[in-house]
Structure formats: C-alpha cells, structure tokens
Amino acid sequence: KELRILMRALPLLYGLGAPLLMVFVLSGLYRSGGSVGGHPLPIALLISLAYAMLGFTQLFYNNLGAEGPGIQILFLSPTPIRTVMLAKNLFHAILFAVDAVLVCIVASLRIGRPEPMAVAATAAWLLFALPVHLAAGNAFSLAMPYRINLGRLARQRGSQASALLSMLVQLGVLGIGAGVFALCSFFDRLWLAVPVFLAMAVVAAFAWMRLLGKVDAMANQRRDTLIATLVKTE
C-alpha cells in the first residue's frame, strides 16, 4: 500500500522539482544584461514561472492519467466527477503555488530582487494563467486522456494531440503575459498590468467554473473511452 502511494506521488514530485534546475539556468541569462535602470526585467520572472508551468503539464492536462483501473471506481462512486476534478485542480494549484515560490526565490537570487510592482504584475498574471490551464486541462483530461507510465515520467510520450494543443495554450498564455508586460513597460506604466491581468483572471476563473459544471456530463459521455484508455496495459 505504501509503495502504491509513493508511485502515485511520483508525477507530483516530478512536476514540483523538475523545472527548478532549468529555471536556475534560465534566470541566469538575465544576470548580465537583463536590467533596465538598475532593476531586473519583469519579463525574466514571467518567463521563469512560465517555464515552471511546463513541469506541471502532465498534472494539469491529464488529471486522470494516474488513476489507471481506479477510473472505474470513480464512475461507481457516488461522488460526482466534478468534485473529483475540483479536488485535483485545487491540489495541483497548491503544488504549483509552492513551486512558484521556490522559482521566485531562485530567480531573485540569480537576477536580483525584482521591483514590487513587477512582483504584483507577475502574481496577477498567475491568477489569470492558472485558471486557464486548469480549465483547458480538465477538457483535455476528458477528451484526450492517456495513461501515465509511472516508471518513465521524464520520457512519457502520452497523447501527441494533447501535447501539441497544451503547448499552444501555454504559448498563448505566455504571449498574452509578455505582450501586456511589454506594452505597459514601453509606456512606463507597469502598474497597469495588474488591473489588466486581474480583469482577465476574473474571466478565466468564470470559464473554469463553468467548465467544471459540465464535467460530469462530459465524463459520462466519454465513459467507455476513458475506461478503455486508462485501464489498458502497455
């Protein structure tokens, strides 16, 4: 039983720790020329956090991948799938919040202490980015699931369609963030990024909750496909 719990925790540990080493290297690129007026570029922290999100792709976009045969129990349980997905979303969000704090510490040690306004704008961007990934991840988890091989997480192939589309979503979210940062920085009004991101965060959170409300219907519609995909052995 303890071994089974440990194996189920491996994807979480991988998503939590794998990005930190690369963020350490990535943030170091801004140590020399990544500052304006003596202050680190806000975009450096944004890119570091965006890269950290890549380590959570298998968690956000394949919520049910580690269930395996347990997916049958979820459908037999009186607990709605919506509640299960919400619990997974909140747990993954907490894990990412821990990872984001570690990333910010590493990036700050590498590029220097960021401006308070840059931290506020980046935090506002995270409030927008996270519900977008959670909403898209829930849809992908039901539409394009794949079973996670706990023995080779780093070389997990998964669904090519899911990987491509999830990458497009992540690039879109990063592009929006970088665009807003660049525009506000160009006009020397970085503080404007905060209300802009917060407004988008409200819309993203609303879309996430609306999608959660449809999760049970989506799951029941694809019940046979989910069971066949996640129960099969390689």
Side-chain angles (χ1 to χ4, degrees), residues 58 62 144-149 152 155-163 234:
Q58 289 190 35
N62 191 33
M144 294 172 286
Y146 58 92
R147 184 171 181 176
I148 292 180
N149 188 330
R152 50 185 180 90
R155 302 184 302 276
Q156 187 75 41
R157 294 184 60 185
S159 169
Q160 294 182 357
S162 177
E234 298 181 357

Side-chain angles (χ1 to χ4, degrees), residues 117-231:
M117 189 52 63
V119 175
T122 304
W125 173 78
L126 285 177
L127 292 178
F128 155 69
L130 193 55
V132 169
H133 287 303
L134 293 177
N138 288 340
F140 286 23
S141 297
L142 297 174
M144 294 172 286
Y146 58 92
R147 184 171 181 176
I148 292 180
N149 188 330
L150 298 175
R152 50 185 180 90
L153 292 176
R155 302 184 302 276
Q156 187 75 41
R157 294 184 60 185
S159 169
Q160 294 182 357
S162 177
L164 176 60
L165 292 176
S166 64
M167 182 62 66
L168 291 177
V169 173
Q170 294 186 50
L171 288 176
V173 172
L174 176 59
I176 291 174
V180 172
F181 266 94
L183 189 61
C184 293
S185 297
F186 179 78
F187 290 103
D188 198 23
R189 295 291 187 273
L190 186 58
W191 61 269
L192 277 176
V194 176
V196 170
F197 284 134
L198 289 179
M200 291 192 294
V202 172
V203 176
F206 177 77
W208 170 48
M209 296 305 296
R210 284 293 300 271
L211 185 61
L212 272 176
K214 301 178 180 179
V215 159
D216 287 294
M218 294 171 61
N220 288 325
Q221 185 178 13
R222 296 185 54 81
R223 176 174 179 171
D224 293 338
T225 302
L226 286 168
I227 293 177
T229 302
L230 299 178
V231 173

Side-chain angles (χ1 to χ4, degrees), residues 29-148:
L29 298 176
Y30 294 88
R31 295 185 66 182
S32 300
S35 60
V36 176
H39 298 287
L41 281 175
I43 198 68
L45 191 59
L46 178 71
I47 293 177
S48 296
L49 288 170
Y51 184 84
M53 275 189 172
L54 290 177
F56 285 78
T57 299
Q58 289 190 35
L59 299 182
F60 289 159
Y61 289 85
N62 191 33
N63 281 328
L64 303 174
E67 295 297 329
I71 186 66
Q72 300 175 87
I73 300 177
L74 293 183
F75 282 109
L76 294 175
S77 171
T79 304
I81 300 295
R82 177 186 182 276
T83 303
V84 175
M85 296 292 272
L86 177 60
K88 287 176 176 288
N89 285 172
L90 294 179
F91 182 51
H92 295 163
I94 292 173
L95 281 178
F96 177 75
V98 173
D99 200 34
V101 171
L102 296 177
V103 167
C104 289
I105 293 174
V106 171
S108 298
L109 292 175
R110 296 286 286 170
I111 65 177
R113 181 178 301 176
E115 297 178 6
M117 189 52 63
V119 175
T122 304
W125 173 78
L126 285 177
L127 292 178
F128 155 69
L130 193 55
V132 169
H133 287 303
L134 293 177
N138 288 340
F140 286 23
S141 297
L142 297 174
M144 294 172 286
Y146 58 92
R147 184 171 181 176
I148 292 180

